[in-house]
Amino acid sequence: MNRPTVVSRDEWLTARMQLLAEEREQTHRQDALAARRRELPMVAIDKKYEFEGPKGKVGLAELFDGQRQLIVYHMMWRWDLDAGCPSCALLLDNVGHTEHLEYNDTRFVAVSRGPWDTLNRYRDRMGWTFPMYSSFDSDFNYDFHVTQDESIAPVEYNYASKAEMQAKGLTWQAEGEQPGTSIFWRDDDNAVFHTYSSYARGGDILIGTNNYLDLTPLGRQKHVAEFPHHDRYGSTTDHCH
C-alpha cells in the first residue's frame, strides 16, 4: 500500500496548490475537447436497424423516444455467462438517474447482442432502470465495430484495422464482443445521424467508480476486468478476461 508521506499543513498546502494549477489546466483542456466533440460533423444513417425491447421490434429512431439526442452504450454480451460482461456492468452501474439526461433532450439506452428474453432477465437481476434493447437480429453491432466477425464485416476497433491491432499486440480487440459508446442525432422528420463513437478507454469518463477512486491515495486498485458483477462479490468466476 502506498501510504502518503506525512508533512506539515503548510507543506501540504504548497503541494496542493501546485496540483490545483495542473487540475485547472486539465479542466480547460477537457472543456476545449468537449467543444471540438460538439463541432464534429455527422453522418446520415440510411440502413434500417431492428432492435427488440419491451414493446417488441423497433427501429433506431424509436430508441430516441421523442428526444433529440441518443446515447447508446454497446454492452458486451458474455455467451458463456448468459449475461453481460462484468466490466460493462461496472460502467452501467454508474449510469444513475437518466431523468437528468432526458431533461436535456437526451435519451440513454444500452444495446447488446444478448437475446431479448435473456437480456431483460439480466437487466432485472442487475436492478437497472434505464432502457435496454437487443440487437441480436441486426447488423448494428457489426456496423459500429463492437462485434467482430470477418464473415459479416471488416474487423475494426477503436478506428484501427485488424492488422494495426495485431501489430500493437491488441489481438483480443480483433475478435468477439467489445465495448463502446455511440451518439446519435434525430431530426424532426425522424432522420437519424451518427455524430460520435468512442471505444476502449474512451469509456473511462463514464465510470464514476474510477473517477471517485482517482481522488484517493490508493487510486484505481483494480483493472476494470477484475470487477465482478455487483451481486457476485466473493466469487472470481465473473471476470471479463
Side-chain angles (χ1 to χ4, degrees):
M1 182 178 72
N2 295 320
R3 181 176 179 271
T5 303
V6 178
V7 297
S8 69
R9 174 59 61 172
D10 286 343
E11 289 175 299
W12 176 87
L13 185 59
T14 297
R16 178 65 189 97
M17 294 303 292
Q18 291 173 345
L19 180 60
L20 179 59
E22 294 182 43
E23 289 175 334
R24 286 173 171 163
E25 182 180 346
Q26 177 65 15
T27 297
H28 295 320
R29 176 63 177 155
Q30 289 173 340
D31 290 343
L33 282 172
R36 290 186 63 190
R37 192 180 296 121
R38 292 192 297 272
E39 293 167 358
L40 278 174
M42 57 187 185
V43 179
I45 302 295
D46 299 320
K47 193 171 186 177
K48 302 298 182 185
Y49 295 108
E50 190 173 74
F51 306 88
E52 189 170 4
K55 297 181 180 179
K57 301 290 182 69
V58 297
L60 183 57
E62 282 72 44
L63 299 190
F64 287 77
D65 196 31
Q67 304 284 11
R68 179 69 63 191
Q69 302 182 127
L70 175 70
I71 300 171
V72 172
Y73 181 71
H74 304 280
M75 186 186 77
M76 299 166 62
W77 188 249
R78 285 281 300 271
W79 301 97
D80 58 325
L81 297 177
D82 212 20
C85 168
S87 298
C88 290
L90 170 66
L91 184 149
L92 291 170
D93 281 339
N94 284 272
V95 169
H97 292 285
T98 57
E99 290 87 349
H100 299 303
L101 292 172
E102 291 158 11
Y103 184 69
N104 287 276
D105 211 5
T106 304
R107 194 182 194 217
F108 176 92
V109 305
V111 171
S112 179
R113 288 197 69 242
W116 169 245
D117 289 343
T118 308
L119 186 63
N120 193 37
R121 286 195 298 272
Y122 173 68
R123 175 179 175 268
D124 289 343
R125 166 191 153 188
M126 300 305 288
W128 295 328
T129 58
F130 52 78
M132 186 171 278
Y133 293 88
S134 172
S135 58
F136 181 72
D137 291 323
S138 170
D139 291 337
F140 184 74
N141 276 46
Y142 302 102
D143 290 349
F144 285 89
H145 309 292
V146 289
T147 299
Q148 312 290 6
D149 187 336
E150 284 183 310
S151 68
I152 298 176
V155 170
E156 176 188 308
Y157 188 65
N158 205 16
Y159 306 99
S161 68
K162 180 179 180 179
E164 289 170 329
M165 286 184 273
Q166 290 174 333
K168 294 178 180 178
L170 301 174
T171 54
W172 62 272
Q173 291 185 347
E175 56 188 27
E177 303 277 327
Q178 300 297 334
T181 306
S182 293
I183 312 300
F184 301 91
W185 173 274
R186 183 185 64 85
D187 275 345
D188 292 336
D189 59 359
N190 266 351
V192 175
F193 302 84
H194 175 224
T195 69
Y196 179 81
S197 284
S198 67
Y199 305 95
R201 289 203 64 184
D204 270 11
I205 192 174
L206 303 177
I207 305 177
T209 297
N210 279 345
N211 292 327
Y212 279 111
L213 289 171
D214 282 343
L215 302 176
T216 70
L218 291 180
R220 304 183 186 193
Q221 301 157 55
K222 308 288 185 185
H223 186 272
V224 290
E226 296 179 286
F227 284 84
H229 286 115
H230 63 241
D231 62 346
R232 296 292 190 269
Y233 276 101
S235 169
T236 59
T237 60
D238 260 3
H239 297 346
C240 212
H241 300 295

